[in-house]
Amino acid sequence: MSTPRVKTVASITVGEFFERHAEVLGLSLHGESHGFDRLISEPAINRPGLALAGFFSYFARKRIQVFGNSELAYLKKLPDPMRADRFRRICDRDIPCIVVARGATLGDDLMAVAKEHHIPVFGTSQVTMKFLNAATIRLEHDFGPSVTIHGCMVDMRGIGVMIVGKSGSGKSETAVGLLERGAALVADDMVRLKLVGGELIATAPDLSRGYMEIRGIGIINAANLYGLASIRPDKRLDLVVTLKPHADLNEVDRLGLQTKTYEVLGQHIPHVEIPVAPGRDTARMVAIAALDQQLRRLGYNMADEFNQKLLNHMAGGF
């Protein structure tokens, strides 16, 4: 299987950030719509308190600048010329944009400075810390590295399972069998995985979301056949299942004592290999693997339990 190409994001524009997240972050534009092509180059937020005091040695100019109560209160205490000068020195650093929290606004003098530098100013009614947390999560998602893998992704009772294997190994048919057992489809054929906050989040391309290709039948709509509960837009990857030809049966672990992993974007995901053969209910095997992984996440390992019983039995001289 060829190594998937990793896609990285070095920056996004202010316009892209606003378009994607304005609703959930409660953002609204203050003033004129200029500077939307400015680049946000770091997936974090900065509060420019030290910069307003004149300290720029570690100023994070590539980040969104957020003005909360502390920054606004400090600015109000400064004489008018000094306030405008301190604010201009921040704008001179070519920052991407400014967000004013708590429903507050910048004064006309500061808005004029921002306009002069073509820096967009947004407002949000959210409290400062809530906005910082929510915006950081979304920026991490926007900047997260991603890969696209040929396979199927389902949510089986809370466990995100990606099914991979050679072409024609029965990945989509297995996924259909899981849907009939109450699973939800995330992606068929092309699974997009993005690293967000140390977790791999799986999604489908917008065009193919909810659709599956079944050999001999064609394209089906999972929601139409199994209901809206049978699809979901994204899911964390918890388990990778590789469908292998029955000829490779001797290469498959039979006891489950050795923990195998599947590496994606530097993350090691639990991995099992299931042989495929005529008459074998592959979907049932994948469902059992998912339930076993669910127990392992809770700290219970069935293979280790049996092995310990066997060792105790042998130690007893039987």
Side-chain angles (χ1 to χ4, degrees):
M1 186 178 298
S2 61
T3 303
R5 183 174 64 88
V6 178
K7 179 182 178 182
T8 58
V9 178
S11 63
I12 63 172
T13 66
V14 172
E16 289 172 334
F17 176 79
F18 182 66
E19 181 180 357
R20 295 173 186 174
H21 310 304
E23 183 176 357
V24 69
L25 296 178
L27 291 173
S28 60
L29 179 65
H30 290 183
E32 300 180 9
S33 57
H34 47 59
F36 275 38
D37 58 343
R38 287 179 171 271
L39 298 180
I40 303 169
S41 302
E42 292 183 2
I45 307 295
N46 185 58
R47 297 188 69 173
L50 288 175
L52 291 174
F55 184 77
F56 284 93
S57 296
Y58 300 98
F59 180 60
R61 66 176 185 84
K62 297 180 180 180
R63 303 179 183 180
I64 296 173
Q65 307 296 315
V66 176
F67 285 68
N69 273 352
S70 299
E71 291 79 11
L72 295 175
Y74 178 77
L75 284 171
K76 287 180 180 179
K77 291 184 177 181
L78 297 177
D80 291 348
M82 182 180 293
R83 178 171 63 249
D85 177 68
R86 295 283 177 85
F87 187 76
R88 177 174 281 104
R89 292 180 65 187
I90 290 177
C91 294
D92 286 340
R93 263 65 182 183
D94 200 29
I95 59 177
C97 66
I98 293 171
V99 176
V100 185
R102 291 181 172 270
T105 59
L106 297 177
D108 292 340
D109 55 341
L110 302 186
M111 288 295 296
V113 174
K115 179 180 178 180
E116 175 186 335
H117 289 75
H118 298 284
I119 295 174
V121 178
F122 303 101
T124 177
S125 59
Q126 295 183 0
V127 297
T128 311
M129 288 308 301
K130 181 179 179 180
F131 175 81
L132 290 174
N133 294 334
T136 299
I137 291 173
R138 281 152 183 83
L139 283 171
E140 286 182 351
H141 187 277
D142 290 338
F143 278 81
S146 63
V147 294
T148 299
I149 294 178
H150 180 61
C152 296
M153 178 76 187
V154 297
D155 175 3
M156 182 62 188
R157 299 190 181 183
I159 298 297
V161 182
M162 183 172 68
I163 307 168
V164 298
K166 295 180 180 179
S167 180
S169 59
K171 297 183 291 296
S172 295
E173 291 82 353
T174 301
V176 168
L178 293 171
L179 294 184
E180 293 176 346
R181 289 174 169 82
L185 176 70
V186 178
D188 178 63
D189 191 42
M190 304 300 290
V191 182
R192 288 181 176 174
L193 294 170
K194 176 169 283 193
L195 182 61
V196 182
E199 295 183 337
L200 290 168
I201 306 300
T203 60
D206 293 338
L207 183 63
S208 62
R209 182 172 293 119
Y211 291 92
M212 303 183 70
E213 179 189 355
I214 308 297
R215 291 175 185 267
I217 297 177
I219 304 297
I220 65 171
N221 186 317
N224 288 348
L225 291 178
Y226 301 104
L228 288 175
S230 67
I231 60 172
R232 61 173 301 167
D234 54 57
K235 182 69 179 79
R236 181 188 62 207
L237 177 61
D238 300 305
L239 175 68
V240 177
V241 175
T242 298
L243 302 184
K244 304 199 70 173
H246 191 261
D248 297 336
L249 181 61
N250 292 332
E251 301 177 9
V252 176
D253 182 20
R254 299 186 61 179
L255 299 180
L257 293 175
Q258 297 179 351
T259 302
K260 295 184 178 181
T261 60
Y262 189 100
E263 184 177 355
V264 183
L265 295 174
Q267 305 298 303
H268 295 271
I269 308 301
H271 180 214
V272 298
E273 297 173 323
I274 295 179
V276 178
R280 183 178 174 89
D281 191 346
T282 310
R284 177 175 293 178
M285 297 300 102
V286 175
I288 292 173
L291 295 176
D292 177 52
Q293 178 60 26
Q294 192 173 49
L295 290 175
R296 288 175 185 247
R297 290 175 67 91
L298 295 173
Y300 176 64
N301 189 313
M302 294 183 287
D304 282 348
E305 179 188 53
F306 176 78
N307 188 51
Q308 189 60 48
K309 284 186 176 182
L310 180 61
L311 292 175
N312 293 340
H313 184 77
M314 295 171 63
F318 299 100

